[in-house]
Amino acid sequence: MNQYRSDLHALAAAYALDALDAAERDDFAAHLPHCEDCRRDVAEFAATAARLAAATAQGPPPALKQRTMAAVDGVRQLPPQLPAAGPARRVARVLKRKAVPLALAASVAAAVTFAGIAAWQHQESQDAQQQAQQAEQQLDEVSTVLAAPDARAVHGRATNGAFTTVVSSDRQNRAVFTVTGLPTPAQGTTYQLWLDHDGTMQPAGFVHADGTVPLDGDPADATAVGLTLEPTGGSPRPTTTPLLLLAMPA
């Protein structure tokens, strides 16, 4: 990224994601106290990154802790060390010889127990794992945009009160949409995103709750991002009044 060092303002997203080399980080850190715009951008990008991390976090199954603690209680520990002097030395050698197979047996038992827990957890959470993989891929796409040297952001508020941010990168030819405070949609409806291409609204994906999603489609010549409430499954064209029509970042 050295070729972009002349434009410190373009490094706000990479700084928030700790993606700068040492020289760039020092230069930007020295610039930051004197630039209100960059301080605001860094705070917003950092908040977006935090929401992304929360969105991909997967909680363990409720019974996992109980099963794990029960398995730990059944594992024997090694006997205490005894002073290696006189008869005690012989006792220590005997205990040591007995402790080895006991420890091996305990290790095998623990391994079998935890393997059973892992197998159970895997069986119970296949759908969650698939969702996690999809979320990880989505996170990679979003992070690529946020870390782009030419990342630009624009903010707006939807008519339902949700606060939104669109971040785009010309170099990556990608854009992402972040929303917080999004009300739960009525049953049978979903929030659909749109890209405005010369007055024609093209479907750009869905957002189901607070978080960040990549926008589908080519944002290169799009002038705005729209948000509407559509029937579950989406619509080929908007069927309701837009909740948001936000100009793409300049």
Side-chain angles (χ1 to χ4, degrees):
M1 295 175 63
N2 291 335
Q3 61 268 37
Y4 304 109
R5 290 187 60 187
S6 60
D7 185 7
L8 289 173
H9 298 277
L11 301 181
Y15 180 83
L17 296 174
D18 196 24
L20 297 177
D21 60 34
E24 288 171 331
R25 185 172 61 250
D26 292 344
D27 288 348
F28 190 82
H31 162 77
L32 198 57
H34 309 290
C35 182
E36 182 179 354
D37 289 341
C38 284
R39 290 197 300 273
R40 183 182 64 251
D41 286 346
V42 167
E44 291 168 351
F45 282 125
T48 298
R51 287 195 293 270
L52 286 171
T56 58
Q58 295 290 328
L64 180 59
K65 179 179 179 181
Q66 181 179 356
R67 290 171 178 258
T68 302
M69 297 306 296
V72 170
D73 289 341
V75 177
R76 287 181 61 93
Q77 298 183 5
L78 291 174
Q81 294 288 336
L82 297 176
R89 181 178 298 174
R90 291 191 295 273
V91 174
R93 286 198 298 267
V94 172
L95 288 176
K96 184 176 181 180
R97 286 196 300 271
K98 290 186 176 182
V100 171
L102 287 174
L104 288 173
S107 297
V108 171
V112 170
T113 300
F114 283 107
I117 293 175
W120 167 80
Q121 183 182 9
H122 176 74
Q123 183 177 358
E124 292 294 321
S125 63
Q126 285 183 348
D127 291 341
Q129 289 175 357
Q130 183 177 3
Q131 293 174 2
Q133 290 174 353
Q134 293 172 349
E136 183 178 359
Q137 180 179 358
Q138 188 177 89
L139 178 60
D140 289 340
E141 295 178 14
V142 171
S143 298
T144 298
V145 176
L146 296 182
D150 64 335
R152 293 290 185 270
V154 65
H155 314 282
R157 190 174 291 276
T159 58
N160 61 5
F163 183 76
T164 65
T165 299
V166 174
V167 182
S168 66
S169 165
D170 291 339
R171 288 181 173 274
Q172 298 296 329
N173 195 31
R174 297 288 291 168
V176 300
F177 180 86
T178 297
V179 61
T180 56
L182 189 68
T184 302
Q187 186 174 3
T189 64
T190 189
Y191 291 107
Q192 188 166 357
L193 294 163
W194 308 88
L195 284 173
D196 184 356
H197 292 273
D198 296 326
T200 299
M201 304 300 285
Q202 306 255 345
F206 301 92
V207 58
H208 303 291
D210 287 359
T212 301
V213 295
L215 289 171
D216 295 340
D218 185 357
D221 60 350
T223 57
V225 174
L227 177 69
T228 63
L229 199 57
E230 301 294 334
T232 300
S235 305
R237 293 288 183 270
T239 63
T240 61
T241 302
L243 301 168
L244 174 79
L245 194 59
L246 187 62
M248 291 289 288

